[in-house]
Amino acid sequence: MSVTFSEKQLKTIRAPFDVTLDVNEGTPRSGKTTAGHFRYAYYLSVTPDENHLIAAYNQEQAYRLFIDGDGTGLKHIFGDLCKTKHDELGDHLEVHTPSGIKKVYYKGGGKVDSVKVITGMSLGSVVFCEINLLHMDMIQECFRRTFAARMRYHLADLNPPAPNHPVIEKVFDVQKTRWQHWTIQDNPIISEERKKDIYETLKKNPYLLQRDWEGKRVMPEGVIYGMFDMDKHIKQTLLGEPYEMYFTADGGQSDATSCSCNIVTRYEGKFRLNRVAHYYHSGKETGQVKAMSVYAKEIKEFVQWCVEKFQMRYSEFFVDPACKSLREELRLVGVATRGANNNAKDVKGTAKGIEVGIERAQNSLTNEQFFLVENDQFGHYHFIKEVGMYCRDDKGKPIDDFNHALDEFRYSNNYFYKRYVI
């Protein structure tokens, strides 16, 4: 493996292990995660403790962000000296180091009951990937799980949260923390041309420019669904009497393809739209572009999983009318679809088009008629990521980015709103 490091990355990797918590906070594409990979590999090579943990919003993200790490994660650093295994404590990377064999478990920590996955574990260290997306109970329990460690250590990374995010007061300010700030200027492999492209995109919105270019903690005033609350709008179980199950989808190849399973229930005299499962794949994000025929096959399998999981027949399958290729490929694999209501012809007062759908979706959130319901296989990580980043530009127009799952959410809410609310 050949990796070019910046001075800040080298300083981070080589720093002594003399704090309880190292925090790398900054913009996307700043090189902070790559530095974290190599710092943690260094730690694993010298610690006498055997068991360790990587925690992310879900297990898939824990593996993707730190075990694989787009080519610089632990499995690539250690190469033939490591192997993925499973034991009574779960999936882990077994690593052979000069100080002995280490087991690096990787688990999800975004749910309210995530703490149960580490109950009984004694750990030497914990890596918190995107720590601001993890449940606070999980974070605090992780610190307790390392009390008996001989070389106790914790490493966290995150994009800048809002200034009032609880992780700042309850974690960073409490622990003996070494905090490092990162921007895209700290990444030695980003070309000046690429930096210019990124800047031209971000400058359209002051919030994104400050957060994702300057790395500042800013209040998300331009965020369209800022009323989404991770405590209020995420449930562990489906509540109420089920009325209907339906699917909505939005497709893309370089952009993301998103498909959700939605169940309408009646609970305490009010209809609810419950987003119970989410299929999502981004060719741009993963570097793996799939054909529409492959998406159709995988979505059909997703639909079958949902039908079996929730023991309900679905009534409708809506697809963005602009995505004709996905509709055709779904038809070829036996899934009948209809064009989704994408608000193209909607007018309500002064609101027109997409703004009508956004207003309805905001109402569903504000009136507590929309909820994410957790599951272990098709979770809501991508929805939660997008909901904090989908913004308006300085002219008040929605920016056509970070909105693949949210466009599809708007379609699902349009159907719910017209059928059950209006």
Side-chain angles (χ1 to χ4, degrees):
M1 181 191 301
S2 177
V3 181
T4 301
F5 296 111
S6 67
E7 284 189 26
K8 182 176 284 188
Q9 287 176 319
L10 286 172
K11 182 180 177 181
T12 298
I13 294 166
R14 295 168 175 170
F17 297 101
D18 55 356
V19 296
T20 308
L21 173 65
D22 269 318
V23 174
N24 292 320
E25 178 182 331
T27 69
R29 313 174 194 87
S30 61
K32 63 184 183 296
T33 306
T34 299
H37 294 154
F38 283 86
R39 174 155 179 75
Y40 195 55
Y42 171 32
Y43 166 81
L44 292 173
S45 298
V46 298
T47 178
D49 297 292
E50 180 183 3
N51 292 341
H52 307 269
L53 174 68
I54 296 168
Y57 181 79
N58 56 35
Q59 186 182 47
E60 177 188 355
Q61 291 300 317
Y63 183 90
R64 187 180 72 81
L65 292 171
F66 232 83
I67 301 295
D68 180 47
D70 289 331
T72 63
L74 297 180
K75 76 173 189 178
H76 300 286
I77 295 172
F78 288 105
D80 294 339
L81 296 174
C82 68
K83 183 182 294 186
T84 52
K85 289 191 172 183
H86 181 89
D87 62 15
E88 69 279 2
L89 295 177
D91 297 328
H92 62 276
L93 187 72
E94 183 183 272
V95 185
H96 292 254
T97 77
S99 57
I101 295 175
K102 310 296 158 60
K103 294 181 178 180
V104 185
Y105 295 88
Y106 46 98
K107 297 180 182 290
K111 300 180 184 179
V112 68
D113 61 347
S114 293
V115 291
K116 68 183 181 183
V117 303
I118 59 170
T119 300
M121 295 183 75
S122 182
L123 301 167
S125 69
V126 180
V127 174
F128 302 101
C129 301
E130 299 177 312
I131 190 171
N132 53 313
L133 297 183
L134 305 186
H135 196 277
M136 187 56 67
D137 290 351
M138 177 67 167
I139 297 171
Q140 301 295 8
E141 183 62 21
C142 284
F143 282 103
R144 288 190 283 271
R145 293 288 112 199
T146 60
F147 278 156
R150 286 176 284 176
M151 189 175 171
R152 188 173 185 240
Y153 180 63
H154 308 82
L155 173 64
D157 66 38
L158 73 162
N159 296 333
N164 59 353
H165 195 287
V167 77
I168 300 168
E169 179 184 356
K170 295 183 179 180
V171 182
F172 300 169
D173 293 347
V174 172
Q175 303 296 331
K176 183 182 179 182
T177 301
R178 176 166 48 221
W179 182 85
Q180 183 73 259
H181 181 254
W182 298 76
T183 73
I184 199 169
Q185 308 302 334
D186 298 313
N187 191 335
I189 68 169
I190 303 291
S191 68
E192 292 303 316
E193 184 179 2
R194 181 74 180 114
K195 288 178 186 177
K196 183 179 179 181
D197 289 342
I198 293 169
Y199 177 80
E200 290 299 320
T201 299
L202 296 176
K203 76 175 185 179
K204 299 172 186 175
N205 181 267
Y207 164 68
L208 289 182
L209 184 66
Q210 291 180 74
R211 198 195 84 146
D212 289 350
W213 183 260
E214 300 171 8
K216 294 180 179 178
R217 295 172 181 168
V218 287
M219 289 302 292
E221 294 163 346
V223 171
I224 290 170
Y225 297 120
M227 64 288 297
F228 178 82
D229 187 308
M230 287 185 66
D231 291 324
K232 184 191 298 182
H233 292 114
I234 301 178
K235 303 296 181 184
Q236 298 306 303
T237 56
L238 187 66
L239 298 176
E241 178 188 355
Y243 268 64
E244 181 179 10
M245 181 168 82
Y246 61 94
F247 292 85
T248 52
D250 191 10
Q253 285 184 300
S254 59
D255 285 333
T257 291
S258 177
C259 179
S260 68
C261 178
N262 304 273
I263 296 180
V264 178
T265 61
R266 189 172 181 85
Y267 183 71
E268 295 183 342
K270 187 188 291 186
F271 284 109
R272 289 180 163 197
L273 173 59
N274 302 276
R275 189 180 177 96
V276 297
H278 186 201
Y279 167 92
Y280 184 100
H281 180 269
S282 169
K284 183 188 297 183
E285 184 179 315
T286 63
Q288 177 193 9
V289 177
K290 297 182 180 181
M292 277 297 166
S293 57
V294 175
Y295 282 127
K297 179 176 176 291
E298 293 181 354
I299 288 173
K300 182 178 181 179
E301 292 170 356
F302 167 68
V303 169
Q304 291 169 339
W305 182 89
C306 293
V307 168
E308 293 175 7
K309 167 78 173 176
F310 299 105
Q311 293 294 295
M312 290 183 71
R313 294 181 178 180
Y314 68 93
S315 59
E316 302 281 0
F317 195 120
F318 298 105
V319 181
D320 180 3
C323 193
K324 296 177 181 178
S325 57
L326 180 58
R327 288 191 69 185
E328 177 60 18
E329 293 294 345
L330 285 169
R331 184 188 69 81
L332 291 173
V333 296
V335 178
T337 66
R338 293 174 59 191
N341 175 6
N342 62 359
N343 304 113
K345 300 178 180 179
D346 283 337
V347 178
K348 182 185 177 185
T350 58
K352 296 180 181 180
I354 185 176
E355 293 294 351
V356 177
I358 287 173
E359 185 179 307
R360 288 173 182 161
Q362 290 172 332
N363 288 342
S364 291
L365 285 164
T366 303
N367 297 336
E368 295 189 31
Q369 288 183 278
F370 173 79
F371 297 91
L372 303 179
V373 180
E374 292 284 11
N375 73 80
D376 291 329
Q377 191 159 339
F378 292 100
H380 306 290
Y381 168 80
H382 295 284
F383 180 97
I384 292 169
K385 286 272 286 186
E386 287 190 8
V387 84
M389 299 170 72
Y390 184 36
C391 298
R392 298 184 183 277
D393 61 22
D394 52 11
K395 295 180 180 179
K397 300 288 186 182
I399 298 173
D400 190 22
D401 207 353
F402 309 116
N403 61 338
H404 309 297
L406 297 183
D407 277 351
E408 174 255 294
F409 155 59
R410 179 164 48 87
Y411 306 155
S412 67
N413 188 74
N414 281 336
Y415 176 76
F416 165 75
Y417 215 77
K418 285 193 170 184
R419 188 172 174 90
Y420 294 96
V421 179
I422 295 177

